[in-house]
């Protein structure tokens, strides 16, 4: 089994799809981290909720896809806001490790409730525009993969626009740079934090919706996706949105290449080996600042 | 040295401080003797083998949590992948005894050495990282080890598991899997020995240096403490604790290993035991090991709902008691003392 | 601070005391007498209010992976156990006594599994245990049930469970060995010689791979590719791309859950023409739902439950299969699947043994071992002293998925 250039190209194509999802999840991590300094281990559950709520509301209320997706995004955003209010805010000044445990607890809780509501079975979602594969330079890619990659691009640009040109976005950035100074300028910190959580949950839900037709969705997919997204966020430099996206894409492609060229069995390990090597060379991630202080 | 005159007041404080330290050590010794004395009597007080069996696992968790406490509570470093060392210890002894027919004690020693070497190789570079970056690196190590255990099927049996692990021997006597009582004493003897070792480590000079490290790394450095070296040593020792617990697990009544118990959720459970109990205290992790294991056991009959309650408990307990149960209970007792004049007497001048 | 330290031992002592109260406060378990079941004196059972059945319930333990990665196996098994408990008690119980199935979750974790088993044996005093769902959780408790002398009827398929034969351990699912034999028999009839293997890295996949490798030479098959995937993998393109580079006529996939469905889809997307053969691990409705169009034409070995309606009327299992399927669907609103069937067989083998031989663990064990010609969901069970796996390759039929449903291949 010789490896041909076409095969490598195929690995890269499929890696870009998975990587886009990691990128979206990493974006969610960065949003919350910037606002609060918290690593939200429940971020993966937002992805699960996005897919599951879409699938369930299409099934239960026979909603069209766009309406179901909207329901999913709104509900997940609400859950994100509730999570902030109920669990993160009361423990704002606790140590890093306490906050890690709280968000892990939240993720276990959300997963458990999802398991009760929707049962253990996988739910398929029909691809948005058919399953007929498209061939690009000998490699095949499904229309859904294009949806995933396209959505990531759109979300990334939208985020950039929000943070660059809207007052709210600028205020959120100000809080990230120096919360105290931002408050002195009259920015209400707690509202900015709410918005960050809402946005992160919404972005997570979007990732879950576009991903669902490719991987199907299930109540317990959140954990591994969350860990990979965290990995991507760290790889790119925590708190750096662009870094997170680069980290996600890189992680996806490396994973696919690792699985294809080295060993499909050690795929998950390859991702983390790469991560640790990168951290040892550059302790603050690829695009992170000088300080590796968490 | 004699030339350096100390101000009068200092001289008065120094012996006082040393005295207090010695008093605390004496009290600690007493507590350790009392606690493990009670644990030695426990088998006579419970009427059911199931509880004995659970207490064996609590003993293992106690060893794991105490080791992790050294790293977290004293060296101030987070590990989200500690189950990896538990797994290396378990699998190394399991494979050496089951596949290669080694003596369990020799295998335990080899597993211990292997774990220490791995921990040193991992800790040396990664402990330079801080905060979330260190958390991520340790989490990554945990996942890498879990994947290797799962995938190196020729050696570990992979997901199908490793069978045929022999029983532990003790001076020629075999601790067979139907002898819970013997294994209970075996595990708890280890737990006692490792707790004593822990108390001594913490009270030693390096231990106090570690404590300084936890409070402020910079200050410790200024005082001439080799912070990097101490961190790595704490990391290796805590991994060694996990390795011993792993060996004890491998030879427990299951005598079967599979990758699941050494994954991410176990790392998190260990973290919770230390933090929930109260990191940086001798008894916090002990309390954590009891609490978490008992919570899991109590919730089991409620099949689907148990993880919901578990997740909720984690959130609520950590929000209410970010310093851990032991500290919270401590302040509660202080509060009560403040209200009950009879109890206050001894503390007032 | 020193106040706090002073109170620490108090705290720990308090905790230990509470623990001891919790542990010791529970009434000491009745000494297992002649195997663990207390038979009340006649007449005492009549005091049970509202119950038509007399006597203490016979307690059977049920331990399944209800949550965790294998929950899609554990949940239908749990459901089946609950349904059987109600049905049996409505129909007059077992030998006039009600049965109670005490269900515990392993969460898919071996440590949790052994703790659950100890609770069932030492605290609940069950006379037999059905489950667990997976091979790993089963292998972890074999020593425990053997020492306690409690019969275990596992719902997991690995050969390691029953080979070599263990006195107290039985299993109900059709084995990998038989499934592979059935597939290879079909392939040689079709004149196929080159196969590619794509197996899960789970215990199920490893065990399948061993059999696929071992039986290939005898069936005249050449294995041209061997790839693996993890149950949680979502992107199978790397493995499939490598398989596409070979001249395999058939791709055999061995796994459970959603990964095999993703493989079916992605094979189609990559334009791989080779015939896809799946294992009995995907013999459930989910696979067809999840794979969608890509499921069409997939061939797999399956228990007869899937094609119950297509079986000839003289098939001894037919009536039973249809009845189980309709009962299950009526109660849970979902189609019954093979995994629930494994649990049905396990529970009914135990119940049957109690009826035939008696309600103590030793009698149940002996009863199961002497069971022959028992028609269950999985097939006809014939146990003996050295065969604690009771089925034969005949328990399988080969089916092809057509129009979103299974069709029996003659």
């Amino acid at each position: 089994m010789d490896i041909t250039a076409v095969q490598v190209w195929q690995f890269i194509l499929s890696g870009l799809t998975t990587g886009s999802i990691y990128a979206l999840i990493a974006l969610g991590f960065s949003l919350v981290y910037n606002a609060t300094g918290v690593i939200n281990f429940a971020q993966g559950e937002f992805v699960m909720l996005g897919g599951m709520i879409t699938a369930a509301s299409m099934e239960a209320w026979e909603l069209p896809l766009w309406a179901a997706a909207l329901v999913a995004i709104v509900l997940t955003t609400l859950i994100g806001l509730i999570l902030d209010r109920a669990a993160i805010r009361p423990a704002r000044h606790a140590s890093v490790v306490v906050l890690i445990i709280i968000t892990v607890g939240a993720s276990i809780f959300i997963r458990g409730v999802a398991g009760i509501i929707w049962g253990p079975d996988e739910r398929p979602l029909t691809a948005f525009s058919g399953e007929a594969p498209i061939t690009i330079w000998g490699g095949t890619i499904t229309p859904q993969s294009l949806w995933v990659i396209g959505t990531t691009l759109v979300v990334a640009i939208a985020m950039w626009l929000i943070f660059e040109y809207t007052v709210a976005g600028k205020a959120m950035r100000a809080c990230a740079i120096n919360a105290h100074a931002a408050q002195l300028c009259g920015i209400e910190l707690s509202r900015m934090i709410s918005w960050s959580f809402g946005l992160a949950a919404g972005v997570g839900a979007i990732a879950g919706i576009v991903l669902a037709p490719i991987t199907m969705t299930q109540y317990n997919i959140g954990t591994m996706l969350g860990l990979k997204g965290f990995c991507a966020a760290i790889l790119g430099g925590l708190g750096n949105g662009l870094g997170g996206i680069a980290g996600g894409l890189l992680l996806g492609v490396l994973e696919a290449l690792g699985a294809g060229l080295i060993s499909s069995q050690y795929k998950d390990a390859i991702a983390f080996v790469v991560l640790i090597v990168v951290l040892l060379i550059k302790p603050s991630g690829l695009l992170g600042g000088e300080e590796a202080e968490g | 040295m004699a030339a350096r005159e100390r101000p009068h007041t200092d001289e008065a404080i120094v012996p006082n401080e040393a005295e207090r330290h010695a008093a605390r050590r004496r009290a600690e010794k007493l507590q350790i003797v009392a606690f493990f004395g009670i644990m030695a009597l426990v088998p006579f007080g419970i009427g059911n083998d199931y509880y004995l069996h659970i207490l064996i696992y609590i003993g293992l968790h106690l060893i794991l949590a105490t080791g992790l406490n050294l790293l977290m509570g004293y060296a101030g470093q987070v590990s989200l992948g500690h189950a990896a060392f538990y797994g290396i210890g378990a699998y190394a002894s399991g494979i050496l005894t089951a596949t290669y027919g080694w003596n369990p004690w020799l295998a335990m020693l080899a597993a211990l050495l292997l774990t220490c070497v791995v921990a040193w190789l991992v800790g040396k570079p990664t402990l330079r990282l801080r905060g979330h970056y260190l958390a991520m690196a340790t989490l990554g190590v945990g996942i890498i080890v879990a994947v290797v255990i799962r995938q190196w099927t020729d050696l570990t049996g992979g997901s199908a598991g490793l069978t045929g692990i022999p029983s532990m021997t003790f001076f020629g006597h075999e601790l067979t899997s139907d002898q819970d009582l013997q294994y209970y004493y075996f595990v708890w003897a280890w737990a006692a020995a490792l707790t004593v070792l822990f108390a001594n480590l913490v009270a030693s000079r390096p231990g106090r240096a570690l404590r300084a490290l936890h409070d402020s790394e910079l200050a410790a450095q200024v005082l001439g403490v080799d912070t990097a070296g101490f961190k790595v040593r704490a990391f290796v020792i805590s991994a060694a604790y996990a390795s011993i617990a792993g060996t004890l697990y491998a030879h427990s009544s299951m005598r079967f290993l599979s990758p699941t118990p050494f994954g991410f959720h176990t790392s998190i459970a260990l973290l919770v035991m230390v933090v929930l109990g109260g990191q940086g205290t001798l008894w916090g992790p002990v309390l954590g090991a009891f609490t978490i294991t008992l919570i899991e056991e109590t919730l089991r009959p409620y099949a689907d709902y148990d993880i919901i309650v578990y997740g909720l408990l984690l959130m609520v307990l950590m929000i209410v008691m970010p310093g851990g149960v032991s500290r919270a209970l401590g302040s509660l007792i202080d509060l009560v003392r403040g209200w009950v004049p009879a109890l206050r007497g001894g503390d007032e001048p | 601070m020193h106040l706090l330290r002073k109170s620490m031992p108090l705290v720990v002592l308090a905790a230990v005391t509470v623990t001891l109260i919790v542990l010791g406060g529970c009434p000491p378990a009745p000494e297992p007498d002649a195997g663990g079941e207390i038979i009340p004196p006649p007449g005492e059972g009549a005091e049970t209010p509202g119950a038509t059945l007399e006597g203490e319930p016979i307690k059977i333990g049920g331990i399944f992976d209800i949550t965790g990665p294998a929950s899609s196996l554990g949940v239908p098994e749990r459901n089946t156990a609950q349904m059987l408990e109600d049905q049996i008690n409505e129909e007059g119980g077992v030998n006039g006594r009600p049965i109670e199935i005490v269900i515990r979750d392993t969460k898919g974790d071996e440590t949790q599994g052994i703790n659950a088993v100890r609770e069932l044996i030492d605290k609940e005093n069950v006379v037999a245990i059905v489950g667990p769902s997976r091979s790993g959780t089963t292998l972890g408790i074999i020593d425990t049930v053997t020492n306690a002398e409690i019969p275990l009827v596992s719902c997991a398929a690995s050969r390691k469970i029953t080979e070599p034969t263990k006195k107290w351990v039985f299993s109900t699912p059709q084995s990998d060995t038989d499934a592979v034999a059935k597939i290879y028999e079909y392939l040689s009839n079709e004149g196929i010689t080159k196969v590619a293997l794509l197996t899960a890295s789970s215990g199920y996949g490893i065990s399948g791979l061993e059999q696929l490798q071992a039986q290939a030479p005898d069936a005249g098959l050449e294995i041209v590719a061997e790839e693996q995937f993890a149950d949680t993998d979502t992107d199978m393109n790397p493995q499939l791309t490598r398989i596409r580079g070979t001249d395999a006529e058939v791709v055999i996939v061995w796994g459970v859950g959603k990964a095999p469905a993703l493989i079916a889809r992605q094979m189609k997307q990559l334009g791989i023409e080779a015939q896809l053969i799946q294992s009995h691990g995907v013999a459930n409705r989910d696979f067809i739902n999840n794979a969608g169009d890509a499921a069409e034409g997939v061939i797999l070995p399956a228990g007869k439950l899937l094609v119950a309606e297509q079986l000839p009327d003289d098939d001894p299992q037919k009536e039973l299969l249809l009845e189980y399927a309709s009962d299950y669907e009526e109660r849970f609103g979902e189609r019954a699947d093979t995994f629930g069937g494994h649990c049905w067989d396990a529970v009914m083998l135990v119940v049957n043994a109690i009826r035939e031989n008696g309600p103590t663990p030793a009698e149940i064990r002996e009863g199961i071992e002497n069971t022959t010609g028992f028609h269950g969901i999985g097939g006809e069970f014939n146990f003996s002293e050295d065969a604690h796996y009771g089925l034969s390759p005949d328990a399988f039929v080969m089916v092809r998925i057509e129009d979103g449903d299974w069709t029996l291949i003659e």
Side-chain angles (χ1 to χ4, degrees), chain B residues 10-40:
Chain B
D10 260 22
E11 253 176 6
I13 286 171
V14 171
N16 206 350
E17 187 68 40
E19 211 168 84
R20 219 181 277 170
H21 179 71
R24 199 187 309 145
R25 291 274 293 140
R26 273 198 303 275
E28 243 175 36
K29 266 183 209 157
L30 228 98
Q31 291 162 18
I32 292 176
V33 170
F35 174 71
F36 287 100
I38 292 174
M39 289 318 292

Side-chain angles (χ1 to χ4, degrees), chain C residues 312-323:
Chain C
D313 283 338
D314 60 348
D315 189 294
Q317 279 177 263
K318 184 168 182 174
E319 195 185 336
L320 171 69
L321 294 173
L322 290 174
E323 192 186 314

